[in-house]
Amino acid sequence: MTVEARVVLGTVTDRPLDLAAHEAAVADRRAGAVVSFQGVVRDHDHGRAVTRLEYEGHPSAEAVLREVAAEIAADPAVHAVAVSHRVGPLEIGDVALAAAVSTAHRAAAFAACARLVDEVKARLPIWKRQVFDDGTEEWVNCP
């Protein structure tokens, strides 16, 4: 019996992200592996102290996120995919990106989760404004 993978969660939100909820969302009786990732706001970038971030998203961001998730879910080894990205102001330690993938075996789960995160980072139209401790700021990944 062949069951297609499913995208169980694909959201862009201004609400805090819960990695455990993403892991639970991809739970599947066929899965022997669930691999997850959380991108956390750190206090530095390229040797400069960061005090906070703000993410701005294009109106198409959620559609792009779901498209990327569907592409990963199309892999026959993948059972389920969950991924979310925050927008708005974030503090140090906040989760900006949460992702989880389930597969039958760990190698496939690690590979699929890595592809998911890499594709989200490459294609998602969300831009980051970093504020540094000296009061300066910069936009990252902004066209």
Side-chain angles (χ1 to χ4, degrees):
M1 174 173 109
T2 302
V3 177
E4 289 191 29
R6 48 195 215 289
V7 175
V8 293
L9 185 60
T11 60
V12 172
T13 181
D14 61 356
R15 301 183 67 137
L17 301 180
D18 180 354
L19 186 62
H22 285 69
E23 293 167 341
V26 300
D28 187 296
R29 292 176 54 107
R30 300 168 296 152
V34 171
V35 170
S36 60
F37 171 84
Q38 62 180 3
V40 179
V41 177
R42 64 182 180 270
D43 68 355
H44 63 94
D45 190 35
H46 295 96
R48 298 178 71 191
V50 173
T51 59
R52 61 187 162 85
L53 298 180
E54 182 176 339
Y55 286 96
E56 291 286 333
H58 187 273
S60 68
E62 188 163 280
V64 172
L65 185 70
R66 289 177 185 255
E67 179 180 296
V68 169
E71 289 172 13
I72 300 304
D75 180 332
V78 173
H79 298 313
V81 174
V83 61
S84 299
H85 201 295
R86 287 252 333 247
V87 291
L90 281 79
E91 300 297 326
I92 304 304
D94 285 348
V95 177
L97 172 64
V101 175
S102 62
T103 68
H105 302 285
R106 72 179 176 273
F110 278 111
C113 192
R115 280 195 324 272
L116 174 62
V117 171
D118 289 346
E119 286 299 313
V120 165
K121 295 292 284 178
R123 294 169 43 192
L124 195 62
I126 289 182
W127 304 283
K128 174 173 65 175
R129 181 175 70 98
Q130 300 187 116
V131 178
F132 298 102
D133 67 346
D134 64 4
T136 62
E137 61 183 51
E138 75 174 352
W139 284 92
V140 180
N141 299 332
C142 191

